Amino acid sequence: MHFFKKKLLEGNIPLKATYLHIILLILGCLFINYVVLPFVRSCRYINWGVLGGFTTSILLGAFLHIALISYFIKKRIISIRMVLIIWGIIVLVPELIFRTLYWDATIISLPDLLNRIIMVILICCFFAVKTHKAKIVVAVISFVFILTFFWMVSLD
């Protein structure tokens, strides 16, 4: 009987979130959004066909957010809801406030923000679904989204 109880409890591993983990997630989001991405956007020497500094920052922003969020969710450190709340407060709210104040100056980076929002939602959906078929569907949607983005960028 003890063996079955143990097996049942393994699926419901509690979250290990501490204030340190939440601070690390906040610092990771701040570092990606306000240090790495502006630096890559300003790099004039990045030019790999359609991948200039701006398009590279969009792709890099998506992958860095996927890596950061995947680490915290996969290790069961922070819940998906908490990740979305933290990301929304740390990244989305300041971006939206800044964009409403300076719409004309920030319209050029709107695809970058939309890409990050969609990728964060898709990675959270990937970890929220339980079946392998659903995970494959979310992964295919993410892949199609990235390909569509690069197709649209190459049209310019």
Side-chain angles (χ1 to χ4, degrees), residues 1-17:
M1 185 67 173
H2 179 66
F3 175 76
F4 293 112
K5 250 186 190 177
K6 185 176 179 184
K7 282 291 184 186
L8 285 174
L9 292 176
E10 284 179 1
N12 298 326
I13 301 170
L15 295 173
K16 303 178 268 186

Side-chain angles (χ1 to χ4, degrees), residues 26-39:
I26 290 170
L27 289 176
C29 288
L30 288 172
F31 184 73
I32 291 170
N33 287 292
Y34 303 114
V35 176
V36 174
L37 296 182
F39 173 74

Side-chain angles (χ1 to χ4, degrees), residues 9-150:
L9 292 176
E10 284 179 1
N12 298 326
I13 301 170
L15 295 173
K16 303 178 268 186
T18 63
Y19 290 116
L20 177 64
H21 293 116
I22 293 171
I23 290 171
L24 287 175
L25 179 63
I26 290 170
L27 289 176
C29 288
L30 288 172
F31 184 73
I32 291 170
N33 287 292
Y34 303 114
V35 176
V36 174
L37 296 182
F39 173 74
V40 174
R41 274 186 214 122
S42 66
C43 290
R44 303 265 184 233
Y45 56 85
I46 296 177
N47 192 5
W48 303 315
V50 296
L51 285 178
F54 183 69
T55 52
T56 302
S57 76
I58 295 173
L59 182 66
L60 187 64
F63 287 130
L64 288 176
H65 279 98
I66 287 171
L68 179 71
I69 291 171
S70 295
Y71 174 77
F72 282 103
I73 293 175
K74 188 169 179 146
K75 296 285 187 180
R76 298 210 30 94
I77 297 172
I78 299 176
S79 68
I80 294 171
R81 184 170 24 133
M82 183 62 82
V83 166
L84 288 173
I85 290 170
I86 291 171
W87 194 85
I89 291 171
I90 298 300
V91 176
L92 198 55
V93 170
E95 288 259 355
L96 292 176
I97 291 171
F98 188 72
R99 285 181 185 283
T100 55
L101 294 174
Y102 305 103
W103 177 253
D104 292 335
T106 61
I107 191 75
I108 193 166
S109 63
L110 187 62
D112 178 36
L113 178 64
L114 294 176
N115 184 40
R116 284 184 282 151
I117 291 170
I118 291 170
M119 292 312 285
V120 166
I121 290 171
L122 284 173
I123 195 66
C124 288
C125 287
F126 181 80
F127 285 107
V129 297
K130 300 296 181 199
T131 64
H132 290 294
K133 288 180 183 178
K135 287 185 185 288
I136 291 171
V137 168
V138 173
V140 167
I141 290 170
S142 301
F143 185 70
V144 167
F145 177 74
I146 289 173
L147 286 179
T148 304
F149 170 75
F150 279 108

